Amino acid sequence: MSGKLLGSIIVLAGLIAGGLVYWLQIYAFYDEASSDTQIRLTNMVTGEPEVVLFDSFQGIDANSSPLRFRGCFTTTMSLAMLTETYEVVEGAEPRVAPGWFDCFDASEIGHALTEGGAIAFLGEKNIQDGIDRVVAVFPDGRGFAWHQLNEKYDE
């Protein structure tokens, strides 16, 4: 077998494997979030999550990792009412969503959270062991939800 043929086979196998790994990471494990997904925020008095008013929900999730959940929605609840009722989270960092899920822009959300253009709330503590759901709401009613590691994994 000539060196050119062997080299071509190795390069082709590498390209196919790379393409397969990319597809698996970006597309394969994501599913549309369940239609019965509820947006809940943790009440600062009771410490219990409560369903909030929302519509136009779009979400993705995966069984392969609890951190793959992302959601976008709108709410008619004002930020003033939300901040007086629900637990605010400091230092929330939205996780990047796949490029094809275009309603969720982690850099825009993160910038708004650091600049005060949005407020992050604790959705549900330990939605899975060591994972919290965080919900960010903008003044115009746009809302975004994601999962992030909690203090159990701060070590």
Side-chain angles (χ1 to χ4, degrees):
M1 188 180 281
S2 78
K4 287 182 183 182
L5 179 61
L6 183 59
S8 297
I9 291 171
I10 291 171
V11 168
L12 183 61
L15 289 172
I16 290 170
L20 181 62
V21 167
Y22 174 80
W23 180 80
L24 286 170
Q25 287 296 312
I26 303 300
Y27 298 101
F29 296 108
Y30 284 101
D31 292 315
E32 190 173 321
S34 172
S35 61
D36 63 346
T37 299
Q38 296 290 316
I39 301 297
R40 295 182 177 96
L41 298 179
T42 300
N43 187 298
M44 68 174 58
V45 175
T46 65
E48 295 297 319
E50 300 174 348
V51 176
V52 295
L53 299 173
F54 72 97
D55 61 5
S56 305
F57 179 80
Q58 296 177 355
I60 56 173
D61 203 354
N63 291 332
S64 61
S65 170
L67 295 174
R68 289 186 175 221
F69 174 83
R70 308 288 186 289
C72 308
F73 62 93
T74 58
T75 184
T76 57
M77 301 174 81
S78 71
L79 276 180
M81 195 280 299
L82 291 170
T83 56
E84 291 175 1
T85 310
Y86 301 107
E87 190 174 326
V88 174
V89 173
E90 299 297 327
E93 297 177 17
R95 304 182 58 78
V96 176
W100 55 264
F101 188 63
D102 55 1
C103 75
F104 193 96
D105 184 349
S107 61
E108 175 193 0
I109 299 164
H111 181 72
L113 289 171
T114 57
E115 299 297 317
I119 298 175
F121 299 92
L122 177 60
E124 294 182 60
K125 185 87 172 154
N126 285 316
I127 196 156
Q128 288 189 6
D129 186 38
I131 308 293
D132 295 341
R133 180 170 289 172
V134 177
V135 177
V137 179
F138 283 71
D140 63 2
R142 290 179 298 141
F144 303 92
W146 66 92
H147 290 173
Q148 67 183 32
L149 298 174
N150 63 24
E151 65 278 348
K152 178 178 179 178
Y153 294 103
D154 280 348
E155 298 171 0

